[in-house]
Amino acid sequence: MKKIRMGVIGLGKRGTSVMKDVILGFDDVDVVALCDSYEDRVDAANAIVKEQRRHDAEIRTTDYREVLKDTTLDAVYVATAWETHIVIAIAAMRAGIPVAMEVGGACDLRECNELVAAYEETGTPIMLMENCCFGADELMATAMVRDGVFGEIVHCHGAYGHDLREEITTGGVKRHYRLRHYSRRNCENYPTHELGPIARLLNINRGNRMVSLTSVASKAAGIKAYLDKHNYEMDESLRGVEFAQGDIVTTIIKCAGGQTITLTLDTTLPRFYGREFTVRGTEGFYEADTGVVFLDGMEEGFDTLEMYKKYLGNNEQYKKDYMPDMWLNITEEQRIKGHGGIDYFEFKAFFECLKENKPMPIDVYDAAAWMCITCLSEASCAMGGQPMAIPDFTNGAWVGRKPEDVMPLGKKS
Amino acid sequence: MKKIRMGVIGLGKRGTSVMKDVILGFDDVDVVALCDSYEDRVDAANAIVKEQRRHDAEIRTTDYREVLKDTTLDAVYVATAWETHIVIAIAAMRAGIPVAMEVGGACDLRECNELVAAYEETGTPIMLMENCCFGADELMATAMVRDGVFGEIVHCHGAYGHDLREEITTGGVKRHYRLRHYSRRNCENYPTHELGPIARLLNINRGNRMVSLTSVASKAAGIKAYLDKHNYEMDESLRGVEFAQGDIVTTIIKCAGGQTITLTLDTTLPRFYGREFTVRGTEGFYEADTGVVFLDGMEEGFDTLEMYKKYLGNNEQYKKDYMPDMWLNITEEQRIKGHGGIDYFEFKAFFECLKENKPMPIDVYDAAAWMCITCLSEASCAMGGQPMAIPDFTNGAWVGRKPEDVMPLGKKS
């Protein structure tokens, strides 16, 4: 069977590392086109291709339209700046080239609507590359939910808790798009890592949907304090720059099924990494960051710290029954292939669906629904927490669509 | 010096236990008036007084107005159902009797305004008995904030996380007011345990104020599932009763100083107790439930569970420098006097201010601002998360009032 001919558009830190460690890790996939606005990034990526595959990429360009002219491409991976994911994905679909679209938030509802329209008109496969949907904890928790362990689910919580102060403040010298977004916008700018797995768990677009949200941002103090503390040594030109992005943005989403989802954007204050993935049901809860599974009837107490000491990491005992075998049997090679395995499983799913012409596990409706949270949050923050209606991108189809996970999940026999 | 002559209005579980373990624990305080809508509760409380003090209470009544006729009373403690705290407090102030008012949420803005007016017109002392403002963790964290340990504070979070399913569902047979509130209302019904300490930390009404909130409630599934599971054995009459109160209510408050406060009401799903008291600043964070103090520059990592294992309970090392001595030197007797000492310290402060004619540490403006969150949250939930303006009960005085803690706090020399 012939190799998948892949183009990579966007060769920053993420695009380059995924190309190198994940995509080129698949023997039946080749990288034949490379594109970035910066020519030196294209050259550097080409050097990696040449080292690993002993050939140059056929197309090397700073204009993504040059890539999309090659109709022999089997797919493109889009990992550009946030604001161009959708416009490039639409152009690719219209050129008939299947798309693996990296995550990010939408800048306006219009692009979400156009994304869905482009898919519906062309039928070109597209997958939102939300790797956390393939996370070990998230899949285990979803399997437990499917088995009824937590009873009826009424609330989920997640966060993007990641101290990005260095990445943002070196964004000028490192040409990172975060810098311009953080200085000018104020919103839940990166919802999908936490929302993706939660939305799938709650069957969003598949019998349920998100109907409204409200978002409130704290003041923006973290980046300024960080720059002051380091006396602007990372980028002298940032002196006097104002940052619009609040340090903590809290978003509450209400679902048609009555569940609430809370999201926290938390990227400009000191903290250790955490996605705070939490599932609350009538029979118990799961909190991934502390690894606590608590079920109705387990010992309670008023000394909360003692409770955490008792239950910390007790999710371990559920792995055998509920964690997908691919995670229990993960090889060292798979781990190395990107983010501890999560990117490997994600791209494996993409390539399999592409080859077998099967529906993508994370589809265009997921993409539009999850990415629109950013622009709706931006509007809500600007209006003091005004609730915003979340569009139904399925145009009513959600009421009849069957629940489906990114892979079969439940209690293993 | 003569004893403080105290009346207790409201003799349910809380009123009776505070009277028995806390108030009667002070040798210079006597309980001379007892009131509850239920006569048997008055009789039971009187038996306790008689056992401990060898006399009957002088006034024993089901009508609180009978208590307030006794102008020789030095104070009343009001621990009735939520919906009557303020009306009784106002009547007491107008009768010139100082008030220790138990916590709860307001049912309407009108009663908050009237509470403030009654205080301003009469000058009768009133203290909101928010015991968590005297909590060891909360005071230590506030002392660390005053010392600048966490830098500029941008966000705080708290919860009332307490599985009350048994208390609520036995509320019919035990005549507990929660039952009627949970069946008919949907709101952040109990904000002050978490909001009180946070509001003081953020200098609310003292150079800062809360300007708006938005609240969204999940569906109400927890109580119904609990009753079904137990086949209504706690109260057969609850079959078919609908509960309006959402299981998880999330509230976001925005402050004039740009800080956000998030509150979670979480009382009808399985969980262990926790108030989730969290302080986020430009130099670090404190999370009381897990006892984690994390400061800028400490080791980070992507394995969140490993981080929790590393830092769990590391607040211990800050106690010597920041925890008030009264907590470090607490005696077993003080611990026994209610909720591990928290109620003892709270009532000690009330009695001292009363005797020395000093301003109460938690005043009428605190009471109105914190309690109004309930009715504003109710309105916001009803309107899909509509932001609601929070009144300025100080009528502008907050811009000039000096920050003040419930006791002097900071790094000890």
Side-chain angles (χ1 to χ4, degrees):
Chain A
M1 191 190 160
K2 82 172 182 65
K3 283 191 180 182
I4 290 173
R5 288 169 53 80
M6 188 97 185
V8 178
I9 300 173
L11 292 160
K13 198 170 138 192
R14 176 73 182 160
T16 301
S17 78
V18 165
M19 181 201 77
K20 177 174 179 289
D21 299 326
V22 188
I23 296 174
L24 288 173
F26 288 87
D27 292 334
D28 55 349
V29 180
D30 205 2
V31 171
V32 298
L34 294 170
C35 173
D36 195 279
S37 306
Y38 300 104
E39 201 166 353
D40 59 301
R41 289 181 176 172
V42 178
D43 293 342
N46 189 55
I48 294 166
V49 172
K50 199 160 184 176
E51 191 194 330
Q52 292 202 20
R53 295 296 170 88
R54 306 285 154 204
H55 65 72
D56 288 305
E58 297 162 22
I59 301 168
R60 304 187 297 279
T61 175
T62 56
D63 182 349
Y64 73 88
R65 289 166 297 193
E66 292 300 314
V67 175
L68 301 183
K69 279 180 186 162
D70 182 353
T71 53
T72 72
L73 287 180
D74 294 306
V76 287
Y77 169 55
V78 179
T80 55
W82 289 334
E83 62 270 30
T84 54
H85 288 189
I86 290 180
V87 65
I88 295 172
I90 290 171
M93 282 192 284
R94 295 210 177 278
I97 302 173
V99 188
M101 180 171 69
E102 199 41 86
V103 298
C107 296
D108 197 88
L109 279 185
R110 185 175 64 119
E111 61 174 348
C112 298
N113 286 319
E114 289 176 355
L115 181 76
V116 172
Y119 173 76
E120 292 182 344
E121 288 166 27
T122 65
T124 310
I126 179 169
M127 174 170 161
L128 180 71
M129 303 309 279
E130 183 35 84
N131 56 7
C132 294
C133 287
F134 294 84
D137 284 337
E138 288 88 343
L139 291 174
M140 184 180 81
T142 307
M144 293 172 79
V145 168
R146 298 304 177 225
D147 193 41
V149 174
F150 302 115
E152 181 179 353
I153 307 304
V154 299
H155 177 74
C156 292
H157 169 72
Y160 187 60
H162 191 180
D163 177 0
L164 294 171
R165 291 174 299 165
E166 186 187 346
E167 182 167 303
I168 295 161
T169 55
T170 56
V173 293
K174 291 185 182 164
R175 304 177 301 202
H176 198 297
Y177 52 86
R178 277 191 192 272
L179 179 62
R180 58 181 181 265
H181 283 266
Y182 277 74
S183 62
R184 299 192 174 104
R185 302 177 69 195
N186 186 18
C187 53
E188 169 48 90
N189 64 27
Y190 205 57
T192 69
H193 281 338
E194 62 274 26
L195 179 58
I198 290 170
R200 295 306 293 263
L201 186 153
L202 292 175
N203 299 319
I204 298 301
N205 292 335
R206 297 165 181 83
N208 196 2
R209 82 175 192 91
M210 300 185 283
V211 292
S212 66
L213 69 75
T214 171
S215 257
V216 180
S218 78
K219 64 179 155 189
I223 297 178
K224 179 72 163 51
Y226 182 80
L227 286 164
D228 283 346
K229 186 173 176 176
H230 293 275
N231 197 27
Y232 296 83
E233 65 193 19
M234 54 286 280
D235 186 349
E236 191 59 43
S237 74
L238 291 179
R239 265 188 213 282
V241 170
E242 295 290 328
F243 288 85
Q245 178 63 53
D247 294 318
I248 303 282
V249 179
T250 307
T251 301
I252 321 171
I253 297 168
K254 188 75 183 264
C255 301
Q259 305 89 348
T260 44
I261 304 168
T262 48
L263 304 178
T264 308
L265 179 84
D266 177 2
T267 55
T268 50
L269 297 173
R271 64 163 294 157
F272 45 82
Y273 185 86
R275 293 200 297 275
E276 300 180 12
F277 179 79
T278 305
V279 179
R280 300 296 307 273
T282 56
E283 290 291 330
F285 75 78
Y286 178 51
E287 192 176 81
D289 280 7
T290 52
V292 172
V293 171
F294 182 86
L295 301 179
D296 197 21
M298 281 167 69
E299 188 203 321
E300 290 173 61
F302 281 92
D303 187 331
T304 315
L305 178 54
E306 285 308 309
M307 290 287 103
Y308 272 108
K309 285 180 180 167
K310 183 180 172 73
Y311 293 122
L312 197 80
N314 77 335
N315 59 337
E316 193 67 33
Q317 65 193 279
Y318 296 92
K319 288 185 178 172
K320 195 172 71 69
D321 281 343
Y322 293 105
M323 189 172 280
D325 289 330
M326 70 182 196
W327 273 111
L328 293 178
N329 306 328
I330 187 170
T331 65
E332 195 49 34
E333 192 192 353
Q334 289 168 345
R335 274 200 198 283
I336 292 166
K337 284 176 178 172
H339 276 77
I342 201 168
D343 289 338
Y344 170 74
F345 293 131
E346 170 190 50
F347 273 85
K348 188 162 174 283
F350 175 76
F351 291 134
E352 280 176 5
C353 290
L354 194 66
K355 283 190 288 190
E356 295 166 25
N357 203 23
K358 289 194 301 192
M360 289 293 166
I362 305 175
D363 66 16
V364 76
Y365 304 106
D366 293 323
W370 305 352
M371 293 175 80
C372 83
I373 299 305
T374 294
C375 54
L376 292 174
S377 151
E378 196 166 19
S380 184
C381 285
M383 295 190 287
Q386 172 73 29
M388 304 294 297
I390 300 174
D392 168 18
F393 293 104
T394 74
N395 199 24
W398 69 275
V399 301
R401 292 179 93 210
K402 294 279 170 291
E404 192 169 354
D405 295 315
V406 298
M407 56 186 293
L409 293 171
K411 187 167 188 170
K412 293 180 276 180
S413 52
Chain B
M1 191 189 161
K2 81 172 184 64
K3 283 192 181 182
I4 290 173
R5 288 168 53 79
M6 188 98 185
V8 178
I9 301 173
L11 292 160
K13 198 169 139 191
R14 174 73 181 160
T16 301
S17 78
V18 165
M19 182 201 75
K20 176 175 180 288
D21 298 328
V22 187
I23 297 174
L24 289 173
F26 288 87
D27 292 335
D28 56 349
V29 180
D30 204 2
V31 171
V32 297
L34 294 170
C35 173
D36 195 279
S37 306
Y38 300 103
E39 203 167 351
D40 59 300
R41 287 181 177 173
V42 177
D43 293 342
N46 189 55
I48 294 167
V49 172
K50 199 161 185 176
E51 191 193 329
Q52 293 202 20
R53 295 295 169 89
R54 306 287 154 204
H55 65 73
D56 288 306
E58 297 162 23
I59 301 167
R60 303 186 297 279
T61 175
T62 56
D63 183 350
Y64 74 87
R65 289 165 297 192
E66 293 299 315
V67 175
L68 302 183
K69 279 180 187 162
D70 182 353
T71 53
T72 72
L73 287 181
D74 294 305
V76 287
Y77 169 55
V78 179
T80 54
W82 290 333
E83 61 271 28
T84 54
H85 288 189
I86 290 180
V87 65
I88 295 173
I90 290 171
M93 283 192 284
R94 295 210 177 277
I97 303 172
V99 189
M101 180 171 69
E102 199 39 88
V103 298
C107 295
D108 197 88
L109 279 185
R110 186 174 65 118
E111 61 173 348
C112 298
N113 286 320
E114 289 177 355
L115 181 76
V116 172
Y119 173 75
E120 292 182 345
E121 288 167 26
T122 66
T124 310
I126 178 169
M127 173 170 161
L128 181 70
M129 303 309 279
E130 181 37 81
N131 56 5
C132 295
C133 287
F134 295 84
D137 283 338
E138 288 88 344
L139 291 175
M140 185 181 81
T142 307
M144 293 172 76
V145 168
R146 298 305 177 222
D147 193 42
V149 175
F150 302 115
E152 182 179 352
I153 307 303
V154 301
H155 177 74
C156 292
H157 169 71
Y160 187 60
H162 192 181
D163 177 359
L164 293 172
R165 292 174 299 166
E166 186 186 345
E167 181 167 303
I168 295 160
T169 55
T170 57
V173 293
K174 292 186 183 162
R175 304 177 301 200
H176 198 298
Y177 51 86
R178 278 192 191 270
L179 179 61
R180 58 181 180 266
H181 283 265
Y182 277 74
S183 62
R184 299 191 175 106
R185 300 177 69 196
N186 186 17
C187 53
E188 169 47 90
N189 64 28
Y190 205 57
T192 70
H193 281 340
E194 62 273 27
L195 178 58
I198 290 170
R200 296 307 292 263
L201 186 154
L202 292 175
N203 299 319
I204 298 302
N205 292 336
R206 296 165 181 83
N208 196 3
R209 82 174 192 92
M210 301 185 283
V211 292
S212 65
L213 69 74
T214 171
S215 257
V216 180
S218 77
K219 64 180 156 188
I223 297 178
K224 178 74 163 51
Y226 182 79
L227 286 165
D228 282 346
K229 187 173 176 175
H230 293 276
N231 198 27
Y232 296 82
E233 64 192 21
M234 54 286 282
D235 187 349
E236 190 61 40
S237 74
L238 292 179
R239 265 188 213 281
V241 170
E242 295 290 329
F243 288 84
Q245 179 61 55
D247 293 317
I248 303 282
V249 179
T250 307
T251 300
I252 321 172
I253 296 168
K254 188 75 181 264
C255 301
Q259 306 88 348
T260 43
I261 304 168
T262 48
L263 304 178
T264 308
L265 179 84
D266 177 3
T267 55
T268 48
L269 296 173
R271 64 162 295 156
F272 44 83
Y273 186 86
R275 295 200 296 275
E276 301 181 9
F277 179 79
T278 305
V279 179
R280 300 296 306 275
T282 56
E283 290 292 330
F285 75 79
Y286 178 50
E287 193 176 81
D289 279 8
T290 53
V292 173
V293 172
F294 182 86
L295 301 179
D296 197 21
M298 282 167 69
E299 189 204 322
E300 291 173 62
F302 282 92
D303 187 330
T304 315
L305 178 55
E306 285 307 309
M307 290 287 102
Y308 272 108
K309 285 180 181 168
K310 182 180 174 74
Y311 293 122
L312 197 79
N314 76 336
N315 59 337
E316 193 66 34
Q317 65 193 277
Y318 296 91
K319 288 185 179 172
K320 194 171 72 68
D321 282 343
Y322 293 105
M323 189 172 281
D325 288 330
M326 69 182 197
W327 273 110
L328 293 179
N329 306 326
I330 188 171
T331 64
E332 195 51 31
E333 193 192 353
Q334 289 168 345
R335 273 199 199 282
I336 292 166
K337 284 176 178 172
H339 275 77
I342 200 166
D343 289 337
Y344 170 73
F345 294 131
E346 170 190 48
F347 272 86
K348 188 163 175 283
F350 175 76
F351 291 133
E352 280 176 5
C353 291
L354 194 65
K355 283 190 287 190
E356 296 165 25
N357 204 23
K358 290 194 301 192
M360 291 291 167
I362 305 175
D363 68 14
V364 76
Y365 303 106
D366 293 323
W370 305 352
M371 292 174 81
C372 84
I373 299 305
T374 295
C375 54
L376 292 173
S377 151
E378 196 166 18
S380 183
C381 285
M383 296 191 286
Q386 172 74 28
M388 303 295 297
I390 299 174
D392 169 18
F393 293 104
T394 73
N395 199 25
W398 69 274
V399 300
R401 292 178 93 209
K402 294 279 171 291
E404 191 170 355
D405 295 314
V406 298
M407 55 185 294
L409 293 171
K411 188 168 189 170
K412 293 181 274 181
S413 52

